[in-house]
Amino acid sequence: MTTVPHILLVEDEDVLATTTAELLRRRGYCSDVVGTLDEARRQLAEGAPHYDTIITDIHLPGGSDLEVLDLLSPTDAPPV
């Protein structure tokens, strides 16, 4: 059984978010799209699904891309 990689896309521009999510879907990925730092915080706090990758805009309503990284715990990082 093959698992589909799950991506969290954090993008506040609707057209870019929609087209990127569609491109990811066509490439075989599953993605959740949120538009603000607060929405990203809620998605990550829920704990499910586990995201394999996060793609984030640099400038977000309510914060920046680096603040998205602060939401991750050390256990979220892949082993080196």
Side-chain angles (χ1 to χ4, degrees):
M1 181 175 170
T2 304
T3 60
V4 175
H6 207 124
I7 297 172
L8 177 61
L9 176 60
V10 187
E11 173 57 60
D12 62 322
E13 293 184 35
D14 289 336
V15 172
L16 186 55
T18 302
T19 55
T20 302
E22 178 61 20
L23 175 66
L24 292 169
R25 187 192 63 75
R26 289 182 185 188
R27 299 281 181 162
Y29 298 98
C30 181
S31 65
D32 293 326
V33 181
V34 296
T36 67
L37 181 63
D38 287 337
E39 291 172 331
R41 183 177 290 118
R42 280 192 294 275
Q43 280 295 112
L44 293 168
E46 289 177 4
H50 170 79
Y51 294 102
D52 299 294
T53 300
I54 297 173
I55 300 172
T56 182
D57 190 354
I58 294 172
H59 302 288
L60 295 166
S64 73
D65 60 331
L66 294 178
E67 291 178 77
V68 172
L69 295 177
D70 290 338
L71 301 175
L72 303 176
S73 71
T75 58
D76 293 324
V80 179

